Amino acid sequence: MAVERTAVNPVTWSVELGFNQGEVVSGQTRTLYISGQTAMSDEGKPQHDGDMAAQLALSLDNLEAVLGEAGMSLANLVRLNVCTTDVDLLFQHYGVLAARLGAAGVAPATTMLGVTRLAIPSLMVELEGTAVA
């Protein structure tokens, strides 16, 4: 059975920002819960100190690496949690995220949270997701 995704949007403003209020997913056979991905190198070293756009791009790369290892892609993402230490700065670079999700043809249910800090103080953004296949 193929995975079927149905957007649930009682309001439409979120669609313009690139996310659905909810998604009903049926027919999935596998669910992947992805730990928070940040701007860390393959060796576990934080990267791009002070550069939100670069940290966001690398966090997405790392998210995609986990998806790829599970035989999935951004197209399988149904839920995305975004934690950031600077919401205003993240919004200035939100196009980095929106472009990648748009290219994959997805608008996952998304929550953005402003936090005091992440586990490693120099990191400014963390992406946590759920994907189905």
Side-chain angles (χ1 to χ4, degrees):
M1 175 180 229
V3 173
E4 182 179 322
R5 298 167 63 145
T6 305
V8 178
N9 289 304
V11 296
T12 58
W13 61 264
S14 63
V15 176
E16 294 172 15
L17 293 175
F19 69 94
N20 291 317
Q21 294 289 317
E23 285 194 343
V24 175
V25 180
S26 59
Q28 76 270 18
T29 58
R30 297 185 314 131
T31 302
L32 172 64
Y33 300 95
I34 305 163
S35 293
Q37 300 297 306
T38 60
M40 298 290 276
S41 70
D42 290 345
E43 295 77 32
K45 305 281 188 225
Q47 304 293 300
H48 311 299
D49 191 21
D51 187 340
M52 177 65 83
Q55 284 197 20
L56 184 54
L58 183 53
S59 298
L60 274 163
D61 291 345
N62 291 337
L63 183 79
E64 283 192 283
V66 175
L67 287 161
E69 189 72 17
M72 297 182 191
S73 71
L74 284 177
N76 298 99
L77 200 61
V78 296
R79 177 88 177 124
L80 181 65
N81 294 330
V82 181
C83 294
T84 182
T85 59
D86 190 332
V87 172
D88 294 327
L89 184 58
L90 179 65
F91 274 130
Q92 292 174 28
H93 301 286
Y94 199 77
V96 172
L97 177 61
R100 299 262 294 265
L101 294 174
V106 296
T110 301
T111 297
M112 182 184 296
L113 299 171
V115 298
T116 304
R117 65 165 273 197
L118 297 173
I120 297 173
S122 64
L123 296 176
M124 299 183 290
V125 64
E126 185 166 335
L127 306 176
E128 174 189 40
T130 304
V132 296

